Amino acid sequence: MSGKDNAGTPGRGERIEAAEREAARRRVLAQTEADRIPVEETTRAVPDRRRHG
């Protein structure tokens, strides 16, 4: 033991895990944004294609 108390300071492994979580969060947000349908497309009127008769 080095005699130092590291309470409250993240260790190397914790910093790596935090960076990985942040990278994963950014990937999820980027994918969500890529899959998003613009509101203009969701509110556009679509002609009724059913047969009337």
Side-chain angles (χ1 to χ4, degrees):
M1 297 216 106
S2 64
K4 289 186 177 182
D5 185 5
N6 290 333
T9 57
R12 182 172 182 257
E14 290 171 324
R15 288 193 305 268
I16 291 171
E17 287 179 16
E20 289 173 347
R21 280 194 304 273
E22 179 64 19
R25 186 182 72 83
R26 289 177 186 268
R27 283 193 303 273
V28 169
L29 288 174
Q31 185 63 46
T32 301
E33 182 63 22
D35 292 345
R36 187 177 66 86
I37 300 172
V39 69
E40 296 83 20
E41 292 184 21
T42 62
T43 57
R44 185 183 315 138
V46 177
D48 187 2
R49 297 181 185 225
R50 290 179 286 179
R51 291 187 175 241
H52 296 276

